[in-house]
Amino acid sequence: MLNFKLIINILGRLLVLTGFLMLSSAIVSLYYQSADLEAILVSSMICIVFGFFLRFLTRNPDRVPGKKEGYFIVASGWVVISFFGMLPFLVSGEIPSFTDAFFETMSGFTTTGASILTNIEGMSPGLLYWRSMTQWIGGMGIIVMTIAIIPYLGIGGMQLFVAEVPGFAPDKLHPRIKETAKRLWAIYFIFTVAEVILLVLGDMPVFDAICHSYSTMATGGYSIKNSSIAFYDSSYIHYVIIFFMFLAGTNFTLSYFALKGEFRKVIANEEFKFYSIALVLSAVLIAFVLVLVMDFRIPNAFRDSLFHVVSIVTTTGFVTADYNQWNLFVKIFIVALLFVGGCAGSTGGSMKVGRHLLLFKNTITEFRRIIHPRAVIPVRYNGKVVSSDIMSNILAFFYIYIMIFIISTLIMIALGLDLNSAFGSVAASLGNIGPGIGEVGPAGNYAQIPGIGKWFLSFLMLVGRLELFTVIILLTKAFWKK
Amino acid sequence: MLNFKLIINILGRLLVLTGFLMLSSAIVSLYYQSADLEAILVSSMICIVFGFFLRFLTRNPDRVPGKKEGYFIVASGWVVISFFGMLPFLVSGEIPSFTDAFFETMSGFTTTGASILTNIEGMSPGLLYWRSMTQWIGGMGIIVMTIAIIPYLGIGGMQLFVAEVPGFAPDKLHPRIKETAKRLWAIYFIFTVAEVILLVLGDMPVFDAICHSYSTMATGGYSIKNSSIAFYDSSYIHYVIIFFMFLAGTNFTLSYFALKGEFRKVIANEEFKFYSIALVLSAVLIAFVLVLVMDFRIPNAFRDSLFHVVSIVTTTGFVTADYNQWNLFVKIFIVALLFVGGCAGSTGGSMKVGRHLLLFKNTITEFRRIIHPRAVIPVRYNGKVVSSDIMSNILAFFYIYIMIFIISTLIMIALGLDLNSAFGSVAASLGNIGPGIGEVGPAGNYAQIPGIGKWFLSFLMLVGRLELFTVIILLTKAFWKK
């Protein structure tokens, strides 16, 4: 039986934390003297008081969380903070619909960045700040989840990718993991501050710089401008954001090694190599087509192409152009990139570069196995043998991802979406990207999707964000058996 | 080093056999006094003479074929007979283009049924007969390949599905395999004759009945009418064809047991159960939408829905209606069915029902493994444990299939096709189905695809037909190493 006392206690803590972070948005409201101050104060008080109340109800929980509690806490944690995190939007009346407010908040905390807002710039500054901040908080959650919880639960091969983290032991929730999380959060924080400074140096207003840095480092993609990053007509700003999206999509443990000066570890990492090469090659290919077929000037073609390739692969979802209007080949190539994802251990979503790399390696190995059926030929990753259990788990991950994608697309079509929009909204939600193709493309938004579709897409964001298994396992009989 | 003397000897035999089978089309030409007689005679003589010449050149080959020869013979066999099988079309001038003639013949021998003909009824009867016959010959080739060669090569988990075949031993090319192949061919022949009789009883002309039975049993889908089976306005004929498509998509070893009266083995077979249930459920779902959304009458809705579900899942590709005009949900559901495929050990193509069943079972098992990480939990199929090697091979098959599909769709788009047509042509060629969606949908054909695209799609038909690994392995370095 699940220890609900413990679970509620931890959810209470999360709520108190969320409330205090929300309260910081009030500073923005005060500064700008905006109308959302009261809504933010009331909402954050509700979070804090209710959170303390839950903790009081369940004080002195009697044991440490087991695996099953782990699954439940992770999945319900994201849901609970989304329900409370949407309060400022609802209370202020700036997002009057319950469904829309939940969608926008879940999209924030899962660092998806899919928005139902049709006029972003019409929102009050405090709410815009909170909206960007939900992504930044989500990113912090993901870092601790991918480093500490998911590998400990043993799903999706994540134990493989974070094996080098100092203090990491896949078979128990190591006490030193707290230290690790703190160090990685420090890097997350330093990168965010660095991006703010560099953006301000490029003449972006401080407020804009903070909000965009929040969503960059979380690979979230919420912008405070209707036209996203296209609003800023400056190559410098575009390249700064490209650079930080790239960092956010990189395994944070590698950034940790890089900051410690251990560059050899960074260069030797196969996932990082594959990620960097794939980004550059894709950007060059698309730039080539843009120049050749669509008469772009070369510097613009490369900048726009690199921006969108990095934005999509890292699952950020910022845009500087409407790629829906680009050549069909480029468009479909970008659609294919929706399934790539950032590095494991980054804040990026989707399938993850490392899984693709291992699936590819396994395929090559499979041919060698067929030719030499008696030999035992393992897959190697960063010089170490990958156990067949982990490989099988990654293959199952791929299968589940594709199946969820196909069935969900059919569901969205049944709800009345056209093919492109159904395909795009599902790929972008499941992959935590944000903009897709069709009506939910870079120039569109999720406002016109029917209510039930918004709830379903919110569910997909959660499923994708938590590496599929964490959510789906809660729906299995085996989980609830003693 | 490959034993090319042996390989050429066997290809020579194949050519002689093809030549004699081609010669039988001359009887049709004689009967109808049609203009194609000379072309057929000349073409079959070329096959026979050239085949005997190859055999003479390589007489007394010194050893039995090894695995590597196996791969090479299977892959090159299909290519060689396609190059020679297209001669009647070229020599008669009725398909003047070399590319088109090759495409049409490869599509026949791989039992795909994708056609470049814009006016099928304008062809001479002897050529139409040969066109249908290429499919029937292809079907014979597939039976011996799936029962004898592919399991012996150990690819794609096929050894699992044919494990119950009498005389089957996965680790060597058993001498009794010849007996097995003969028995299964006998069933193939009996079913073909039975279908001819039942179609003639439904007032289909004898010639039409023979041609359609050839393409039904091979799950090929070549019709001799421009409007395919829609030409015959008879529910009886439609249901007869549905029944035989269903049989052709069933594992032939199960039909063998059924004919021997061992029904328990048929009913106990998990793949067959899954196949039957999936077909009925899909047909009911589509019929439901057709009645509700498109105002079809119930009997018509069920008949048309069942016809297309069975036609697509078995990868036959006959049509009785233009499903391109149906509701979007139904259309995309049908697109998803393009990836299902018939049972393993049938003449059906695509991924195969059995692989889907095992992928699904493995996914369920994966969740149980995560919950009980210390327990060893195997996947079971028909009551037996599936080895992790086979499971890993099936997972790799799925991954390769999806990757080939995505990359090929991008290639077809780069060649100028619109998204639907690119998607449809690739799915239908790789799955050996025939009609897809878009311009290559039920009412369209492959005529307008650029030449290079036709060659590429022909290659995909071959890759799909030979269970991916057989062709791709020839492109690996490991294969050509000593």
PDB file of all heavy atoms in Angstrom, chain A residues 191-207:
ATOM      1  N   PHE A 191      23.930  29.934 -15.391  1.00  0.00           N
ATOM      2  CA  PHE A 191      23.636  30.071 -16.825  1.00  0.00           C
ATOM      3  C   PHE A 191      22.504  31.073 -17.043  1.00  0.00           C
ATOM      4  O   PHE A 191      22.545  31.880 -17.978  1.00  0.00           O
ATOM      5  CB  PHE A 191      23.247  28.718 -17.430  1.00  0.00           C
ATOM      6  CG  PHE A 191      24.416  27.797 -17.693  1.00  0.00           C
ATOM      7  CD1 PHE A 191      24.209  26.463 -18.032  1.00  0.00           C
ATOM      8  CD2 PHE A 191      25.729  28.260 -17.621  1.00  0.00           C
ATOM      9  CE1 PHE A 191      25.279  25.613 -18.283  1.00  0.00           C
ATOM     10  CE2 PHE A 191      26.804  27.413 -17.873  1.00  0.00           C
ATOM     11  CZ  PHE A 191      26.570  26.090 -18.202  1.00  0.00           C
ATOM     12  N   THR A 192      21.489  31.010 -16.183  1.00  0.00           N
ATOM     13  CA  THR A 192      20.358  31.928 -16.335  1.00  0.00           C
ATOM     14  C   THR A 192      20.824  33.374 -16.180  1.00  0.00           C
ATOM     15  O   THR A 192      20.495  34.240 -17.003  1.00  0.00           O
ATOM     16  CB  THR A 192      19.262  31.614 -15.287  1.00  0.00           C
ATOM     17  OG1 THR A 192      18.997  30.213 -15.309  1.00  0.00           O
ATOM     18  CG2 THR A 192      17.985  32.369 -15.578  1.00  0.00           C
ATOM     19  N   VAL A 193      21.622  33.622 -15.135  1.00  0.00           N
ATOM     20  CA  VAL A 193      22.124  34.967 -14.897  1.00  0.00           C
ATOM     21  C   VAL A 193      23.004  35.427 -16.067  1.00  0.00           C
ATOM     22  O   VAL A 193      22.870  36.557 -16.564  1.00  0.00           O
ATOM     23  CB  VAL A 193      22.917  35.036 -13.565  1.00  0.00           C
ATOM     24  CG1 VAL A 193      23.593  36.386 -13.405  1.00  0.00           C
ATOM     25  CG2 VAL A 193      21.985  34.737 -12.388  1.00  0.00           C
ATOM     26  N   ALA A 194      23.854  34.528 -16.538  1.00  0.00           N
ATOM     27  CA  ALA A 194      24.745  34.877 -17.647  1.00  0.00           C
ATOM     28  C   ALA A 194      23.936  35.254 -18.883  1.00  0.00           C
ATOM     29  O   ALA A 194      24.260  36.228 -19.587  1.00  0.00           O
ATOM     30  CB  ALA A 194      25.663  33.687 -17.962  1.00  0.00           C
ATOM     31  N   GLU A 195      22.865  34.512 -19.134  1.00  0.00           N
ATOM     32  CA  GLU A 195      22.046  34.832 -20.311  1.00  0.00           C
ATOM     33  C   GLU A 195      21.382  36.190 -20.150  1.00  0.00           C
ATOM     34  O   GLU A 195      21.362  36.991 -21.095  1.00  0.00           O
ATOM     35  CB  GLU A 195      20.984  33.747 -20.546  1.00  0.00           C
ATOM     36  CG  GLU A 195      20.242  33.976 -21.868  1.00  0.00           C
ATOM     37  CD  GLU A 195      19.151  32.959 -22.145  1.00  0.00           C
ATOM     38  OE1 GLU A 195      19.078  31.927 -21.434  1.00  0.00           O
ATOM     39  OE2 GLU A 195      18.357  33.193 -23.077  1.00  0.00           O
ATOM     40  N   VAL A 196      20.869  36.473 -18.936  1.00  0.00           N
ATOM     41  CA  VAL A 196      20.242  37.775 -18.703  1.00  0.00           C
ATOM     42  C   VAL A 196      21.234  38.888 -19.028  1.00  0.00           C
ATOM     43  O   VAL A 196      20.919  39.829 -19.775  1.00  0.00           O
ATOM     44  CB  VAL A 196      19.765  37.904 -17.235  1.00  0.00           C
ATOM     45  CG1 VAL A 196      19.292  39.332 -16.955  1.00  0.00           C
ATOM     46  CG2 VAL A 196      18.662  36.901 -16.936  1.00  0.00           C
ATOM     47  N   ILE A 197      22.455  38.763 -18.505  1.00  0.00           N
ATOM     48  CA  ILE A 197      23.465  39.804 -18.724  1.00  0.00           C
ATOM     49  C   ILE A 197      23.762  39.984 -20.208  1.00  0.00           C
ATOM     50  O   ILE A 197      23.745  41.098 -20.741  1.00  0.00           O
ATOM     51  CB  ILE A 197      24.763  39.470 -17.945  1.00  0.00           C
ATOM     52  CG1 ILE A 197      24.474  39.517 -16.432  1.00  0.00           C
ATOM     53  CG2 ILE A 197      25.900  40.431 -18.312  1.00  0.00           C
ATOM     54  CD1 ILE A 197      25.589  38.962 -15.572  1.00  0.00           C
ATOM     55  N   LEU A 198      23.981  38.857 -20.906  1.00  0.00           N
ATOM     56  CA  LEU A 198      24.318  38.954 -22.325  1.00  0.00           C
ATOM     57  C   LEU A 198      23.168  39.529 -23.143  1.00  0.00           C
ATOM     58  O   LEU A 198      23.387  40.271 -24.109  1.00  0.00           O
ATOM     59  CB  LEU A 198      24.728  37.580 -22.868  1.00  0.00           C
ATOM     60  CG  LEU A 198      26.121  37.130 -22.413  1.00  0.00           C
ATOM     61  CD1 LEU A 198      26.397  35.688 -22.811  1.00  0.00           C
ATOM     62  CD2 LEU A 198      27.195  38.054 -23.001  1.00  0.00           C
ATOM     63  N   LEU A 199      21.932  39.198 -22.768  1.00  0.00           N
ATOM     64  CA  LEU A 199      20.786  39.742 -23.502  1.00  0.00           C
ATOM     65  C   LEU A 199      20.647  41.239 -23.247  1.00  0.00           C
ATOM     66  O   LEU A 199      20.362  42.008 -24.176  1.00  0.00           O
ATOM     67  CB  LEU A 199      19.492  39.011 -23.114  1.00  0.00           C
ATOM     68  CG  LEU A 199      19.346  37.581 -23.641  1.00  0.00           C
ATOM     69  CD1 LEU A 199      18.057  36.939 -23.132  1.00  0.00           C
ATOM     70  CD2 LEU A 199      19.369  37.554 -25.176  1.00  0.00           C
ATOM     71  N   VAL A 200      20.869  41.646 -21.985  1.00  0.00           N
ATOM     72  CA  VAL A 200      20.774  43.079 -21.669  1.00  0.00           C
ATOM     73  C   VAL A 200      21.862  43.856 -22.420  1.00  0.00           C
ATOM     74  O   VAL A 200      21.615  44.954 -22.927  1.00  0.00           O
ATOM     75  CB  VAL A 200      20.862  43.309 -20.139  1.00  0.00           C
ATOM     76  CG1 VAL A 200      21.000  44.791 -19.824  1.00  0.00           C
ATOM     77  CG2 VAL A 200      19.617  42.741 -19.458  1.00  0.00           C
ATOM     78  N   LEU A 201      23.047  43.253 -22.525  1.00  0.00           N
ATOM     79  CA  LEU A 201      24.127  43.885 -23.299  1.00  0.00           C
ATOM     80  C   LEU A 201      23.729  44.063 -24.761  1.00  0.00           C
ATOM     81  O   LEU A 201      24.250  44.933 -25.453  1.00  0.00           O
ATOM     82  CB  LEU A 201      25.409  43.054 -23.210  1.00  0.00           C
ATOM     83  CG  LEU A 201      26.118  43.050 -21.860  1.00  0.00           C
ATOM     84  CD1 LEU A 201      27.362  42.167 -21.910  1.00  0.00           C
ATOM     85  CD2 LEU A 201      26.508  44.482 -21.466  1.00  0.00           C
ATOM     86  N   GLY A 202      22.817  43.218 -25.238  1.00  0.00           N
ATOM     87  CA  GLY A 202      22.329  43.337 -26.620  1.00  0.00           C
ATOM     88  C   GLY A 202      21.104  44.230 -26.695  1.00  0.00           C
ATOM     89  O   GLY A 202      20.326  44.118 -27.644  1.00  0.00           O
ATOM     90  N   ASP A 203      20.908  45.053 -25.662  1.00  0.00           N
ATOM     91  CA  ASP A 203      19.821  46.035 -25.635  1.00  0.00           C
ATOM     92  C   ASP A 203      18.432  45.438 -25.466  1.00  0.00           C
ATOM     93  O   ASP A 203      17.430  46.087 -25.798  1.00  0.00           O
ATOM     94  CB  ASP A 203      19.839  46.932 -26.898  1.00  0.00           C
ATOM     95  CG  ASP A 203      20.965  47.940 -26.822  1.00  0.00           C
ATOM     96  OD1 ASP A 203      21.354  48.294 -25.682  1.00  0.00           O
ATOM     97  OD2 ASP A 203      21.456  48.358 -27.885  1.00  0.00           O
ATOM     98  N   MET A 204      18.340  44.233 -24.947  1.00  0.00           N
ATOM     99  CA  MET A 204      17.017  43.723 -24.604  1.00  0.00           C
ATOM    100  C   MET A 204      16.669  44.295 -23.223  1.00  0.00           C
ATOM    101  O   MET A 204      17.532  44.324 -22.337  1.00  0.00           O
ATOM    102  CB  MET A 204      17.022  42.187 -24.550  1.00  0.00           C
ATOM    103  CG  MET A 204      15.619  41.591 -24.459  1.00  0.00           C
ATOM    104  SD  MET A 204      15.627  39.786 -24.170  1.00  0.00           S
ATOM    105  CE  MET A 204      15.663  39.153 -25.825  1.00  0.00           C
ATOM    106  N   PRO A 205      15.425  44.798 -23.029  1.00  0.00           N
ATOM    107  CA  PRO A 205      15.051  45.320 -21.707  1.00  0.00           C
ATOM    108  C   PRO A 205      15.252  44.246 -20.623  1.00  0.00           C
ATOM    109  O   PRO A 205      15.104  43.058 -20.897  1.00  0.00           O
ATOM    110  CB  PRO A 205      13.565  45.645 -21.869  1.00  0.00           C
ATOM    111  CG  PRO A 205      13.355  45.811 -23.340  1.00  0.00           C
ATOM    112  CD  PRO A 205      14.346  44.905 -23.997  1.00  0.00           C
ATOM    113  N   VAL A 206      15.590  44.688 -19.399  1.00  0.00           N
ATOM    114  CA  VAL A 206      15.907  43.740 -18.319  1.00  0.00           C
ATOM    115  C   VAL A 206      14.766  42.762 -18.081  1.00  0.00           C
ATOM    116  O   VAL A 206      14.984  41.559 -17.952  1.00  0.00           O
ATOM    117  CB  VAL A 206      16.234  44.501 -17.011  1.00  0.00           C
ATOM    118  CG1 VAL A 206      16.510  43.520 -15.872  1.00  0.00           C
ATOM    119  CG2 VAL A 206      17.454  45.396 -17.222  1.00  0.00           C
ATOM    120  N   PHE A 207      13.549  43.291 -18.026  1.00  0.00           N
ATOM    121  CA  PHE A 207      12.400  42.424 -17.775  1.00  0.00           C
ATOM    122  C   PHE A 207      12.290  41.329 -18.837  1.00  0.00           C
ATOM    123  O   PHE A 207      12.153  40.140 -18.530  1.00  0.00           O
ATOM    124  CB  PHE A 207      11.116  43.270 -17.743  1.00  0.00           C
ATOM    125  CG  PHE A 207       9.867  42.469 -17.540  1.00  0.00           C
ATOM    126  CD1 PHE A 207       9.626  41.825 -16.329  1.00  0.00           C
ATOM    127  CD2 PHE A 207       8.932  42.341 -18.562  1.00  0.00           C
ATOM    128  CE1 PHE A 207       8.472  41.077 -16.136  1.00  0.00           C
ATOM    129  CE2 PHE A 207       7.780  41.595 -18.377  1.00  0.00           C
ATOM    130  CZ  PHE A 207       7.552  40.955 -17.162  1.00  0.00           C
TER     131      PHE A 207
END
